[in-house]
Amino acid sequence: MKSALRKIVPVAALAAVGVLGFAVPASAATTVSFDCQADAPIVGPQQVSLTQDADVTAPATVAPGGALDVVVDPAANSVPATVSSYKVKQIKDFALKIPVPANSTFVGADLAGGSGLGSTAPKLTVAGGVATLSFPGPIAGGATFELPTVTVHLTAGASGTIETKLAGSSYADPGLTFTAVVNQLIDISAPTACFPSPSPIFTTTTIG
């Protein structure tokens, strides 16, 4: 399972807390790499590498106390049908953590579009200065999916910069968790913990 699940995690939503102000916006394609560990029964922990692309739009500047939005447009992705000798049955129970940036206040978020994510729509909740995007799935092995476009509304602070990045620094402090269900004679559920490696700064907006 070392190369398992390379394309199955919808991490594009990771940039959900960002900024888009009244300055001329900049647009950039972003690729995020995650270092993950799947806790597979019997065989033990397995390292997993994941990537996801997204287009992130944000401004260079915003006025003190001004309203800020970010628009994140995730690329389509797919779940592999098989990994090594394992058949991928499904992936489920996603939770992605995004810190609310310093020098900003979270106001709200809008999710639009998306496909192939299961019957329950994704939701974004905020507690303790961290926004969590979650949905139960499942997404079947071999299926194509696309996360919704995410627009997050913020209010800028009085001064400084607003930098957007992901939560997570280790397997013990994950920014992304999910469960992979694979089959080899029997179904095996592998809870998986991930952190961005490296952890990029997606946008930097100067207040002033």
Side-chain angles (χ1 to χ4, degrees):
M1 289 181 61
K2 185 175 180 62
S3 61
L5 316 175
R6 180 169 298 275
K7 293 184 178 180
I8 68 175
V9 177
V11 298
L14 51 86
V17 176
V19 286
L20 172 66
F22 301 108
V24 176
S27 181
T30 301
T31 298
V32 179
S33 298
F34 269 74
D35 184 350
C36 303
Q37 182 172 274
D39 187 9
I42 303 175
V43 297
Q46 301 292 309
Q47 192 275 336
V48 182
S49 297
L50 307 171
T51 60
Q52 175 70 56
D53 294 335
D55 287 327
V56 183
T57 304
T61 62
V62 65
L68 306 140
D69 293 341
V70 64
V71 178
V72 181
D73 185 10
N77 213 330
S78 62
V79 180
T82 59
V83 174
S84 298
S85 59
Y86 294 87
K87 177 182 178 180
V88 179
K89 184 175 182 179
Q90 63 184 28
I91 54 175
K92 61 180 183 177
D93 300 334
F94 296 91
L96 179 71
K97 296 181 179 181
I98 313 108
V100 176
N103 301 318
S104 72
T105 302
F106 180 84
V107 177
D110 301 318
L111 307 179
S115 62
L117 303 177
S119 59
T120 302
K123 63 181 180 179
L124 190 72
T125 58
V126 178
V130 177
T132 300
L133 180 82
S134 63
F135 61 93
I139 305 174
T144 297
F145 66 88
E146 186 171 354
L147 283 175
T149 297
V150 181
T151 302
V152 171
H153 313 294
L154 302 173
T155 299
S159 62
T161 59
I162 299 172
E163 295 183 342
T164 61
K165 61 186 301 183
L166 299 177
S169 59
S170 67
Y171 302 140
D173 175 33
L176 170 69
T177 58
F178 64 94
T179 298
V181 181
V182 298
N183 182 275
Q184 192 178 57
L185 300 179
I186 61 172
D187 287 349
I188 300 173
S189 293
T192 304
C194 309
F195 65 97
S197 179
S199 183
I201 295 173
F202 300 107
T203 61
T204 300
T205 297
T206 300
I207 301 171

